Amino acid sequence: MIAKLSKYKDVSRASVFLSGSKSESNRLLILQALYPGIEIENIACCDDTLVLQKALASQEDTLDVHHAGTAMRFLTAYLAATTQREITLTGSLALQRRPIGPLVAALRDMGASITYTGKQGYPPLKIKPATLKSRVCIHASESSQYISALALIGPYLKKGLTITLEGNITSKPYVDMTLSLLSQIGVAYTFKGQDIRILPLKQCKKVKIVVEGDWSSASYFYSLVSLSKDRSVQLSSFKTNSLQGDAALVSIYESLGVTTTPLDNQTMVLTKNNNLLPSIFRADLTATPDLAQTIATTCFGLAIACHLTGLHTLKIKETDRLVALCSELTKLGAQIKVTQDSLLLESHKLAFDKMTQEPEIATYKDHRMAMSFGVLSELFCITIQDPMVVTKSYPNFYTDLKKLGIDTAFFWG
């Protein structure tokens, strides 16, 4: 399947309601499984969340989470702490190429019974019942999801859990999100220096948590407004004090031509501003690596250079996102270089109106490739291969694009 995207009419103001954050939803689902008194409202409707819900409700001895990396990591810790039977945890071939060794090693140090059924350090996993200890050390620089997976089971353990972090913490806002959600259900914790201490919680009082709209999904509308002449987009389902690191979009895109105006505690309006664009946009995305693809394509569309650093975790996502970005932006005429943890895009002269051939973008089974390149339809007609990979995090992406006047045609080949 391919999707052909092109701007077909001007829409001065469109209103988009974004469903709940995948990151918040998946953390809350693990906590709800441990403490059934938790009620979740505005839960994400994406594939990754649905897969996790199904796995948590399953009585099967083999759980297949398909492409959902978050589900794989969170379930590994959850099952290590709770399972009363032997369970095989597996996923797609693509997921089986994503490492999980550091988390498994940490859980084994705690006493977990986990073995690899295939390649060492990678899924599938066989998990058996075990009693876990209350202390663990883990490298903090590889994936914040390993830390969050451990933190989520911390209050369930008899003596709680102390997590000692080694090295610099990557994507720290996601760790802060996890700890904040623990606090909301009544868990006491401290985070001092490199140590996270989580106290045990025997029972959780009934509590309802409303999941905020997904800031990662909002990034594509920031990009569209930035690339436009005078677009305005209203986004709903957001909180003033967000738990999501990707709320950094507000400050990042202010310098890329987008002003964010809150209307109330749940609604904001994105408008094109007249700020002078930088000749080169620089950002350290160690805390917010999921924004890298959107920022890179935005800067390309604006014809300005960008230098993005702190991108080492992109090598172990759905695909090697740095290599994928380099390959697909090069198709469009970009001069781009990538390293193990950075990206350098050179400036260029706008010539999109002179394109003689409609570019076709490969997605590499990566939802963020489809969406970050899809917004370039604001400037020229573009074709996206395997477009429905977006259901992994944002199933309504193309429907919402239509609200902004983007024509979406699908073809099956």
Side-chain angles (χ1 to χ4, degrees):
M1 181 195 294
I2 62 172
K4 183 175 180 178
L5 306 179
S6 60
K7 185 178 177 182
Y8 70 99
K9 64 180 179 180
D10 292 324
V11 178
S12 59
R13 168 74 69 85
S15 181
V16 176
F17 181 93
L18 293 177
S19 72
S21 157
K22 180 185 72 169
S23 299
E24 287 187 41
S25 295
N26 287 2
R27 285 162 172 76
L28 286 168
L29 283 173
I30 295 294
L31 292 176
Q32 186 184 57
L34 296 171
Y35 303 104
I38 299 172
E39 180 183 349
I40 309 171
E41 190 172 300
N42 193 35
I43 194 167
C45 60
C46 61
D47 288 353
D48 279 12
T49 297
L50 295 173
V51 162
L52 180 54
Q53 284 179 301
K54 182 178 178 180
L56 287 168
S58 176
Q59 297 301 313
E60 300 294 325
D61 293 332
T62 297
L63 302 180
D64 186 345
V65 297
H66 304 291
H67 303 305
T70 305
M72 171 60 70
R73 289 160 176 172
F74 288 0
L75 281 171
T76 297
Y78 171 80
L79 292 171
T82 65
T83 188
Q84 298 299 309
R85 66 187 193 279
E86 182 178 299
I87 292 181
T88 297
L89 183 59
T90 189
S92 66
L93 290 177
L95 185 62
Q96 291 177 34
R97 291 191 289 268
R98 298 180 67 179
I100 199 167
L103 176 59
V104 170
L107 288 165
R108 282 174 167 176
D109 287 345
M110 294 171 63
S113 177
I114 306 175
T115 56
Y116 298 106
T117 64
K119 183 179 178 180
Q120 295 294 299
Y122 297 82
L125 306 174
K126 185 171 289 185
I127 305 173
K128 298 179 181 180
T131 300
L132 304 188
K133 300 174 186 176
S134 60
R135 299 191 68 91
V136 68
C137 294
I138 190 166
H139 288 285
S141 61
E142 296 190 46
S143 173
S144 65
Q145 288 184 11
Y146 299 155
I147 304 168
S148 289
L150 295 169
L152 288 169
I153 64 170
Y156 178 79
L157 303 181
K158 187 175 181 180
K159 295 183 179 180
L161 181 62
T162 297
I163 307 170
T164 297
L165 306 176
E166 299 177 346
N168 296 324
I169 305 171
T170 192
S171 303
K172 184 176 179 292
Y174 287 96
V175 177
D176 293 335
M177 173 195 292
T178 302
L179 296 175
S180 178
L181 292 173
L182 289 177
S183 180
Q184 288 182 44
I185 69 167
V187 175
Y189 75 88
T190 59
F191 190 174
K192 295 180 180 179
Q194 296 289 100
D195 288 334
I196 301 173
R197 172 69 177 125
I198 300 169
L199 299 183
L201 181 69
K202 292 183 179 180
Q203 287 187 318
C204 172
K205 61 182 180 181
K206 287 189 177 182
V207 60
K208 179 172 74 173
I209 298 179
V210 180
V211 180
E212 181 188 17
D214 190 73
W215 275 94
S216 300
S217 297
S219 71
Y220 310 113
F221 298 99
Y222 273 89
S223 184
L224 278 167
V225 173
S226 176
L227 297 175
S228 73
K229 293 181 179 179
D230 57 0
R231 270 197 188 278
S232 178
V233 180
Q234 180 173 308
L235 299 179
S236 299
S237 187
F238 289 89
K239 297 177 182 177
T240 304
N241 298 316
S242 178
L243 300 180
Q244 299 172 58
D246 286 354
L249 283 165
V250 174
S251 58
I252 289 172
Y253 270 83
E254 182 69 28
S255 61
L256 292 176
V258 183
T259 294
T260 307
T261 305
L263 294 185
D264 52 42
N265 290 334
Q266 292 189 327
T267 307
M268 59 187 181
V269 175
L270 316 182
T271 53
K272 181 76 173 182
N273 64 39
N274 296 316
N275 292 350
L276 182 65
L277 293 173
S279 58
I280 179 168
F281 179 79
R282 302 178 187 273
D284 180 350
L285 300 182
T286 301
T288 56
D290 281 346
L291 299 181
Q293 289 148 295
T294 312
I295 293 172
T297 52
T298 301
C299 289
F300 173 76
L302 294 172
I304 64 173
C306 76
H307 185 202
L308 307 179
T309 58
L311 307 181
H312 58 283
T313 60
L314 298 193
K315 306 291 287 185
I316 59 170
K317 296 289 186 177
E318 284 78 355
T319 185
D320 183 331
R321 287 177 171 170
L322 288 171
V323 171
L325 270 172
C326 184
S327 175
E328 301 312 301
L329 282 172
T330 299
K331 283 183 182 179
L332 303 180
Q335 297 294 314
I336 180 173
K337 296 178 182 179
V338 297
T339 69
Q340 290 296 308
D341 62 358
S342 67
L343 176 153
L344 178 60
L345 172 71
E346 296 182 12
S347 60
H348 63 96
K349 292 184 179 180
L350 283 169
F352 301 134
D353 57 338
K354 296 180 182 179
M355 282 188 173
T356 57
Q357 189 173 2
E358 183 180 307
E360 187 166 318
I361 300 299
T363 54
Y364 307 88
K365 299 186 184 300
D366 184 350
H367 52 134
R368 300 206 188 282
M369 286 295 291
M371 294 184 285
S372 59
F373 278 85
V375 298
L376 291 175
S377 57
E378 180 72 15
L379 303 175
F380 54 86
C381 189
I382 192 167
T383 295
I384 305 293
Q385 297 175 0
D386 192 16
M388 296 315 295
V389 292
V390 301
T391 61
K392 179 177 174 62
S393 65
Y394 188 178
N396 294 328
F397 177 67
Y398 298 109
T399 301
D400 288 341
L401 280 189
K402 287 183 179 181
K403 296 178 182 177
L404 277 74
I406 303 295
D407 188 18
T408 305
F410 293 94
F411 303 92
W412 284 261

